[in-house]
Amino acid sequence: MNADASTKRPGGRSARVRAAVHGAAIALVSEFGADQVTLPTVAQRAGVNPSTLYRRWGTLAALLADVAQHRGDAGAPPLAGDLRTDLENQAVWTLAELSRPGGIAFFRAEVAPDVDERHDGLRECLRRVSERFRPVLDAARERGDAPPPPTLEQVLDRIVAPLYFRVVFSIPGTDEAYVRELVAGFIGEPSG
């Protein structure tokens, strides 16, 4: 079996190694920050040989990008059935994911231009974020909300982009209250 087939197998040793390495990377980045973590420290924490990490990922940035890609949206809030509430919930959850220890490091690694020429991290990140907000808008359309809900592009421009910008640049006041005001201003309703 070639190396590509073993990395795609849903179970077995390859999946266990990936889970252990991902868990170790998340823990170490959360504890020490991405700039203090190396592939050998991740390997040690995961209980695997460093050569496994170098062979599979090559660099710490590639490993962090892989973690970001596979973290998914577990724990995302369910739809409440109200456009404003659903946009707020998804935006608050997005902020929490970015703001948690190591969150922005995984994002930066994923969208870095030199991580892996086979993987378009920017496109994948945009797809994942879009899939987080698309059901909110689809549900509002199905309910026949009036006025009609905004487009996905408008949500990305007016809610998601400001959140990412403010977290990346550590702008004070980027908290749940800010998110709620951002959504309220976007959909034209008073906050609070």
Side-chain angles (χ1 to χ4, degrees), residues 21 24-26 28-29 32-46 48-50 53-54 57-61 63-64:
V21 170
I26 290 167
L28 287 166
V29 169
F32 304 109
D35 57 336
Q36 299 298 311
V37 176
T38 63
L39 285 179
T41 59
V42 173
Q44 181 179 13
R45 174 76 63 98
V48 299
N49 192 307
L53 277 69
Y54 285 108
W57 290 283
T59 65
L60 180 64
L63 170 59
L64 296 183

Side-chain angles (χ1 to χ4, degrees), residues 23-187:
I26 290 167
L28 287 166
V29 169
S30 296
E31 290 172 34
F32 304 109
D35 57 336
Q36 299 298 311
V37 176
T38 63
L39 285 179
T41 59
V42 173
Q44 181 179 13
R45 174 76 63 98
V48 299
N49 192 307
S51 65
T52 300
L53 277 69
Y54 285 108
R55 186 174 53 253
R56 185 175 284 179
W57 290 283
T59 65
L60 180 64
L63 170 59
L64 296 183
D66 189 51
V67 170
Q69 181 182 0
H70 288 90
R71 283 176 92 166
D73 284 347
L79 296 182
D82 172 74
L83 179 61
R84 177 179 173 170
T85 301
D86 287 336
L87 285 174
E88 283 179 352
N89 289 346
Q90 294 300 325
V92 166
W93 187 81
T94 298
L95 177 62
E97 284 294 292
L98 282 171
S99 300
R100 72 180 169 175
I104 201 66
F106 292 108
F107 165 71
R108 284 181 173 144
E110 182 178 24
V111 299
D114 60 344
V115 170
D116 185 347
E117 65 279 354
R118 298 165 297 167
H119 173 73
D120 186 345
L122 281 170
R123 206 175 297 281
E124 176 61 24
C125 181
L126 178 60
R127 182 203 61 77
R128 206 169 41 256
V129 171
S130 296
E131 290 307 312
R132 188 176 304 154
F133 285 88
R134 185 173 280 116
V136 170
L137 303 174
D138 290 346
R141 279 187 197 85
E142 288 173 18
R143 286 190 307 268
D145 284 6
T151 65
L152 178 61
E153 185 175 289
Q154 289 170 325
V155 169
L156 294 173
D157 286 346
R158 303 270 310 275
I159 296 174
V160 176
L163 288 179
Y164 274 78
F165 178 85
R166 291 176 69 97
V167 172
V168 166
F169 291 103
S170 303
I171 297 175
T174 307
D175 55 15
E176 189 171 326
Y178 168 77
V179 170
R180 294 190 188 288
E181 288 176 17
L182 186 66
V183 171
F186 171 60
I187 62 173

